[in-house]
Amino acid sequence: MANLMGDKKASFLRLVEERALSKEEKKKLQDALVPYIPKDCISNVLLRLPLESLQRSRFVCKPWYTIINSLKFIDDHLERSESVLIFISSIKEENLYPFSTRPFAVEKPNTFSVEAKLLQSESVPVLVQPNINPTLKYYIKFLEINNGRSKIGEYSVSCTGHIRAACNGLILLENKLKKGGLIVVNPVTRKLISLPLGTLCPADKESYGFAFCTVTGEYKVVHLFQDELRYFGCEILNLGTRVWRAVNGPSFGLLRWLGCLPVLAIGALHWVPNIDSSDYLVSIEVDKERFHTIPLPKSSRYHDRIVEMRGFLSFVTHEEENQIGVWILKGLGELWTRQLSIKTGCILDMVPLYSLRIKGDMIFKRDEDGSFYAYDFQLQVMRKIEMEQERLKMSGMYHPHVNSLISWSSRERSQDVFY
Amino acid sequence: MSNTSENPKPSSSSAKMTLKTSDNELFEVEEAVAMKFCTVKQYFEDEKDSDVAARGSTTVIPLPNVHSAVLATLISYGKKLPQSNAVADNHEEEETKKKERKKYEQGLLKNLMPGELLDLISAANYLDFKEGLEFFNQALADHIQNKSVEYVRKFFGIKNDYEPHEEEKYREEYAWAFEGVDED
């Protein structure tokens, strides 16, 4: 009992002493205790933070804000980020009550609506804004595959249209409020821009590619579309500009199928032209904007695909005796070299989907049941991925994606820096 | 009081170097480990150039910016790293070594006070100890990742230079990023 009183007296005395220290002295004491950490170290630490934490860290102080918004940091961060698959999931399906006859669709609170933000930025008066029926909306989500498991991440972002393409963290979204409308969004930073209308075309007769042109430092959207006479036209938009430029499309008859998303690798966008038995690829160089065909080392069959792998273009093909062969093309104008064979765990309907840019694994998806598999090149093991949810409720296609802070224009970026 | 390195395995270079800390403690370290501190390596190579006869004798390298407790931890971590001049192990040995190192790393982090992390990073940066920096920077990132903005400011001794109205504006804009934050 006496001890307790003694402690209380001591702590009270300490309190009085502390208060007596002037604020200046206190600050000096505090500063002396905290070692100086140079900016490079701070950057190094911040680069390792998960995105939400990084977003918060902007508000610690203005120098940190400047670091996080700097081009170098954003690029370094992109380099370290692992690939994921981005997709949309219908809001209607999310809220299905097990025994209800009618789906009860309500958007989750705190959801950022892409369309609402767009209307806001276009200064449409609030009363005129269409009340978008939630049953027509989608949530944007992503699938992370790591160590044999998958996890679904949410952005709390909703949209009305499908994802048409993805590049460096930016996605190309259909804007269903405007016929033929397109938006480019970064679902992490929630910055978005509406694109000018291009050539209108039914969705099954067109394909979009999205690429970063390293030569000019700009993002380009490539729109391939087929007319009634089955000619393919092509137009390209430099992000930030307001005009689609027509370029020569691929020669008539080369491209017959748009079922596959184009793959961006070695400075070009590549399309597989047929659903089965493709002997070449139809490619457009991002910088020179010219179409070529690239012969494949062997015929690409129904379950074969091209995949971007560590910057190179790979051709992943099913072969005899339940093997999967991987060929690599290191540059346009070079020759395909056979990299390796995957000899274990191959199943005929495994379709190569994408490769993990940091870890290097090749991810496959089976046609039959939608299950995912990962091939580890180092351990030479094919592993079935444990899914977080039994059946993934999603609409449309999976797009290889990376969560980043990238913005499409340097002008946009420079607005966010304190000098 | 000097700290002798107690590695029984004979290495190709058993030359030792002495490092002197800010509080005048001497640490005798194997050359292979000390060379991981690039600042020390640079100093050693400069010394080598200037006085050939001095090689082999114990040069004492002063580290006025590093406290003994901090240096002890960094040396200990440095010893656990794969040595650059070591013979290549087979896959199994490599795996066991990796597991050992992981256990050691976890133990190290558990016993560390968060404040010590900053001292370690500052010292590792001064010594240009790349592997140490990687490891401790990651540990720091893991530590602050779920903490509030105020905690981070206090931890780094950073003054809030945002105007109240600016901060409010940003908090609103980024409200969704502030969920799921630990209690300070």
Side-chain angles (χ1 to χ4, degrees), chain A residues 345-356:
Chain A
C346 304
I347 305 172
L348 183 58
D349 69 336
M350 276 181 167
V351 176
L353 209 48
Y354 72 116
S355 82
L356 297 181

Side-chain angles (χ1 to χ4, degrees), chain A residues 246-413:
Chain A
V247 300
N248 287 331
S251 310
F252 182 78
L254 280 181
L255 193 56
R256 292 180 203 201
W257 178 60
L258 291 173
C260 254
L261 297 170
V263 169
L264 176 65
I266 53 175
L269 284 163
H270 312 271
W271 279 264
V272 175
N274 290 319
I275 191 166
D276 194 10
S277 307
S278 302
D279 298 311
Y280 56 87
L281 300 172
V282 173
S283 317
I284 179 170
E285 279 181 80
V286 178
D287 174 39
K288 301 211 173 72
E289 299 178 355
R290 277 200 309 251
F291 276 95
H292 301 288
T293 54
I294 296 180
L296 285 169
K298 61 188 267 286
S299 191
S300 173
R301 307 304 306 275
Y302 188 73
H303 292 115
D304 301 337
R305 288 291 185 274
I306 46 170
V307 175
E308 186 268 335
M309 204 164 91
R310 293 274 166 78
F312 300 135
L313 183 62
S314 73
F315 172 49
V316 184
T317 167
H318 291 267
E319 296 170 340
E320 261 83 284
E321 287 159 32
N322 262 339
Q323 280 188 33
I324 292 179
V326 177
W327 298 75
I328 300 275
L329 189 64
K330 294 201 171 162
L332 296 172
E334 294 189 28
L335 293 173
W336 289 95
T337 50
R338 192 185 165 80
Q339 182 91 330
L340 55 95
S341 303
I342 300 176
K343 299 195 175 131
T344 69
C346 304
I347 305 172
L348 183 58
D349 69 336
M350 276 181 167
V351 176
L353 209 48
Y354 72 116
S355 82
L356 297 181
R357 60 206 290 266
I358 308 288
K359 187 148 184 292
D361 292 14
M362 177 79 65
I363 309 293
F364 296 83
K365 182 164 158 295
R366 281 193 65 194
D367 252 358
E368 182 183 312
D369 57 2
S371 55
F372 287 87
Y373 288 78
Y375 183 71
D376 184 327
F377 287 98
Q378 243 132 18
L379 300 175
Q380 295 183 4
V381 159
M382 178 78 81
R383 192 152 54 153
K384 182 167 181 184
I385 304 295
E386 243 178 78
M387 301 298 284
E388 195 184 29
Q389 285 176 9
E390 255 323 300
R391 278 199 61 80
L392 208 55
K393 301 186 205 82
M394 53 95 68
S395 310
M397 305 182 82
Y398 288 110
H399 291 252
H401 172 76
V402 59
N403 286 323
S404 78
L405 301 172
I406 292 277
S407 172
W408 55 85
S409 85
S410 44
R411 184 180 57 85
E412 262 282 331
R413 286 175 253 174

Side-chain angles (χ1 to χ4, degrees), chain A residues 12 15 38 61 64 80 89 108 146 193 199 211 259 344 350 414:
Chain A
F12 182 73
L15 206 66
C61 60
W64 280 35
R80 299 176 57 103
S89 152
K108 280 187 255 200
N146 188 17
I193 184 174
T199 305
T344 69
M350 276 181 167
S414 67

Side-chain angles (χ1 to χ4, degrees), chain A residues 95 106-112 139 155-157 190, chain B residues 176 179:
Chain A
N95 294 306
V106 167
E107 200 177 273
K108 280 187 255 200
N110 287 330
T111 302
F112 173 82
Y139 288 122
Y155 298 105
S156 293
V157 173
R190 299 175 167 190
Chain B
W176 44 275
E179 297 160 16

